[in-house]
Amino acid sequence: MQRSFYDYLTISLKGIAMGAADVVPGVSGGTIAFISGIYEELISTISGVKPSLIKTWRTDGFKAMWKELNGPFILALFSGILISLFTVMRLANYLLENHPILIWSFFFGLVVASVWYVGSQIPRWNFKVLLSLLVGAAIAFYIVSLPPLGANTGNLFIFFAGAIAICAMILPGISGAFILVLLGAYKTITEAAHDFDFKTLGIFAVGAIVGLLSFSKLLKWLFVHYTNVTLAVLTGFIAGSLNKIWPWKEVLETEFYGEKEVVLKEASVLPWNFDGEPNTLYAIILMLAGFLLIFLLERFASKKPEQEDATN
């Protein structure tokens, strides 16, 4: 696929959006990848990372290996994610701490529209597809309602925490950051990053790489052999996560991880039962803004292939 500089810039912008979503516990970068039209290419590219690439490098050179890897796509996307983690993350953290209802409202509207968008990709609906959607929603709702486990610092645990969290990050509807909180690994990883504990970070990174390569192959296989059911389960995952990002919450339990206070247990309440200023009007406006943003992204993603076909 021949892409222009503008195409790769667009992919980087999508990476920025994915990174911004991943730092918000309860919102998945995988959801952003899906609604921006790059999810299947992302999964296919990651699953294509295999030992035979080294053979291609040796026999045909780095350029051939880079092309087989879909390297330009990976570089553009992950550059955007890294830029987001070092820039947008600060803004997201500020908004979460100072204007939580407003930012949660925006993401709530965005995710509601994502349910519609992902569900609309299912070409044929039947009982099996509907059941898959309900099962996916039930699993996601159960996961986001779980109480977090106690902290664990064992090397094997950190390895598996990395593998599980990275799978959540590329799975629409489930947040990798939230999974770390559930596993009791959030404190360990954030402290390791703060203290430059490269051993712990290295074990976590190796687990993340193993989990990413393994899970992406499974997702690719599911998309090839069970497209409808897979899309239905993903739609359910996104729908089931809505309870986590409902803007109005009653905080029941928190814990400080270093200087950062993380909510461990909370309950959704209606705006008029919220203990504080509900900002209902602004919240509704931002919900609509998030909802409409998905339609704009969908229109952009659907127009692009048509324009490419017209030029060929």
Side-chain angles (χ1 to χ4, degrees):
M1 182 187 298
Q2 293 294 326
R3 283 181 164 132
S4 65
F5 173 79
Y6 173 78
D7 294 325
Y8 287 117
L9 178 61
T10 302
I11 291 171
S12 293
L13 292 174
K14 293 176 180 179
I16 290 174
M18 286 178 62
D22 270 326
V23 301
V24 179
V27 183
S28 171
T31 303
I32 303 299
F34 205 110
I35 60 181
S36 61
I38 60 172
Y39 189 75
E40 290 195 46
E41 182 176 2
L42 173 61
I43 297 303
S44 180
T45 299
I46 295 173
S47 66
V49 178
K50 46 194 174 183
S52 62
L53 289 169
I54 299 176
K55 183 179 179 181
T56 303
W57 188 356
R58 289 176 176 174
T59 57
D60 301 323
F62 178 82
K63 186 175 181 180
M65 184 275 290
W66 188 245
K67 183 177 180 181
E68 183 180 339
L69 179 63
N70 199 11
F73 171 81
I74 293 178
L75 181 62
L77 183 66
F78 282 89
S79 294
I81 292 174
L82 287 175
I83 290 171
S84 180
L85 292 178
F86 287 103
T87 55
V88 179
M89 181 174 67
R90 293 180 179 273
L91 175 61
N93 286 335
Y94 170 81
L95 292 174
L96 282 171
E97 291 176 6
N98 296 279
H99 305 285
I101 290 178
L102 300 184
I103 191 170
W104 284 124
S105 297
F106 175 78
F107 278 114
F108 187 85
L110 187 147
V111 174
V112 167
S114 300
V115 174
W116 166 83
Y117 174 76
V118 179
S120 69
Q121 307 304 304
I122 302 173
R124 294 187 306 276
W125 284 86
N126 52 41
F127 176 77
K128 182 168 66 174
V129 171
L130 181 60
L131 180 62
S132 300
L133 186 150
L134 294 175
V135 169
I139 292 173
F141 185 86
Y142 175 72
I143 289 174
V144 301
S145 303
L146 285 173
L149 300 174
N152 195 321
T153 58
N155 291 340
L156 187 61
F157 173 80
I158 295 301
F159 174 86
F160 282 109
I164 295 170
I166 199 68
C167 293
M169 286 180 181
I170 64 171
L171 192 63
I174 300 179
S175 162
F178 179 69
I179 292 298
L180 286 179
V181 173
L182 282 183
L183 293 175
Y186 190 90
K187 180 179 181 180
T188 303
I189 300 306
T190 52
E191 287 183 347
H194 181 269
D195 299 335
F196 297 101
D197 181 356
F198 294 111
K199 178 185 176 182
T200 299
L201 293 176
I203 294 171
F204 180 80
V206 172
I209 292 171
V210 172
L212 185 62
L213 295 179
S214 303
F215 191 61
S216 62
K217 293 182 186 298
L218 173 62
L219 275 178
K220 183 180 179 181
W221 184 85
L222 289 172
F223 268 111
V224 171
H225 295 90
Y226 300 98
T227 305
N228 284 359
V229 170
T230 302
L231 286 172
V233 171
L234 294 180
T235 304
F237 279 159
I238 300 172
S241 70
L242 284 170
N243 180 53
K244 174 62 183 174
I245 57 176
W246 177 250
W248 297 279
K249 297 285 188 181
E250 178 186 357
V251 177
L252 304 177
E253 184 179 352
T254 63
E255 183 174 332
F256 279 93
Y257 291 163
E259 297 180 355
K260 186 177 180 64
E261 185 180 17
V262 175
V263 176
L264 299 182
K265 191 175 181 181
E266 59 188 0
S268 298
V269 297
L270 294 172
W272 46 87
N273 293 329
F274 179 71
D275 184 16
E277 176 56 53
N279 291 310
T280 308
L281 178 60
Y282 292 115
I284 292 174
I285 292 173
L286 285 169
M287 282 183 188
L288 291 174
F291 194 90
L292 292 173
L293 177 61
I294 299 305
F295 285 91
L296 293 175
L297 288 172
E298 186 230 351
R299 192 168 184 178
F300 176 80
S302 61
K303 271 189 173 183
K304 196 64 183 174
E306 295 173 3
Q307 291 172 354
E308 289 176 353
D309 292 340
T311 57
N312 292 335

